[in-house]
Amino acid sequence: MHAKADTDALTALYTRNVDAVYRICYVYLRSRADAEDAVQSVFLRYLQKQPVFRDENHERGWLLLTAKNICRDMLRSWWRRHRVGLDELPEPAVPMRDEEPSELTESLLALPEKYRITLYLYYWEGYPAREVAALLGCRESTVRTRLQRGREMLKNDLGGSCHETGSFGQA
């Protein structure tokens, strides 16, 4: 019967506070999915710590402070800073699994990694050289050199069928 009382107490605590915890998480994270993840983390932390509260105000304060700290940790995480929301992604330029890759795509995928990644980020994803350099952790001049050499490799592989300007457009 003790487990039933614990479950009922947890359900009551959750019901009393879930909306406030969700709202604070949403304000910090500005994403419904991230806020829902943070809410789960808050109540998981409650289960792990099992704090004892003086009253409902103390309970709510602890949960909101925990929510704030979890959200701030999420905002500082490497993953959060380097991801893009699904609604921000462009239509795929690289073929999906059930599509046949183009000759250009096959040639690109055959390049050494440093040229393949640089060309992909620059031409298919549309990042300027400065941002490609930041993403790859190298200098902008290195990116420009890799772009030039990668274009030459593609041109040779494709038999000179690329534009002289090096503009490939969408595959």
Side-chain angles (χ1 to χ4, degrees):
M1 204 58 150
H2 184 63
K4 173 77 169 130
D6 288 346
T7 302
D8 290 345
L10 176 61
T11 301
L13 176 131
Y14 180 85
T15 303
R16 277 192 306 272
N17 296 291
V18 69
D19 290 336
V21 171
Y22 175 82
R23 283 192 301 273
I24 193 79
C25 291
Y26 188 82
V27 167
Y28 269 97
L29 302 171
R30 294 178 293 188
S31 162
R32 183 179 187 156
D34 288 344
E36 290 170 356
D37 288 346
V39 169
Q40 288 180 356
S41 295
V42 169
F43 287 99
L44 180 61
R45 183 142 327 145
Y46 167 78
L47 289 172
Q48 291 168 338
K49 302 276 185 190
Q50 296 283 320
V52 178
F53 303 117
R54 292 185 303 270
D55 54 28
E56 286 185 16
N57 287 334
H58 183 224
E59 169 187 287
R60 181 172 290 223
W62 186 91
L63 291 167
L64 294 179
L65 181 62
T66 301
K68 179 192 84 154
N69 291 336
I70 286 172
C71 291
R72 293 178 85 192
D73 289 345
M74 288 174 73
L75 289 169
R76 284 192 297 258
S77 76
W78 181 91
W79 175 253
R80 172 83 181 191
R81 288 180 282 128
H82 291 87
R83 71 175 184 162
V84 176
L86 289 176
D87 55 331
E88 298 172 29
L89 292 175
E91 289 299 314
V94 175
M96 302 308 275
R97 277 186 259 159
D98 57 344
E99 294 177 16
E100 197 62 35
S102 69
E103 183 181 2
L104 177 60
T105 301
E106 287 179 355
S107 294
L108 176 73
L109 295 176
L111 291 176
E113 181 178 326
K114 65 183 181 180
Y115 301 112
R116 179 179 68 235
I117 299 298
T118 303
L119 286 167
Y120 177 77
L121 290 171
Y122 186 81
Y123 287 106
W124 274 266
E125 294 298 330
Y127 287 107
R130 175 181 37 78
E131 289 183 32
V132 172
L135 288 169
L136 299 179
C138 61
R139 294 186 350 217
E140 187 174 343
S141 61
T142 303
V143 168
R144 293 195 184 284
T145 300
R146 288 178 184 174
L147 287 170
Q148 180 183 357
R149 290 181 183 160
R151 285 190 299 258
E152 289 172 11
M153 290 176 179
L154 280 176
K155 182 178 175 183
N156 291 336
D157 190 46
L158 295 170
S161 62
C162 289
H163 297 72
E164 287 300 318
T165 62
S167 176
F168 298 114
Q170 298 294 314

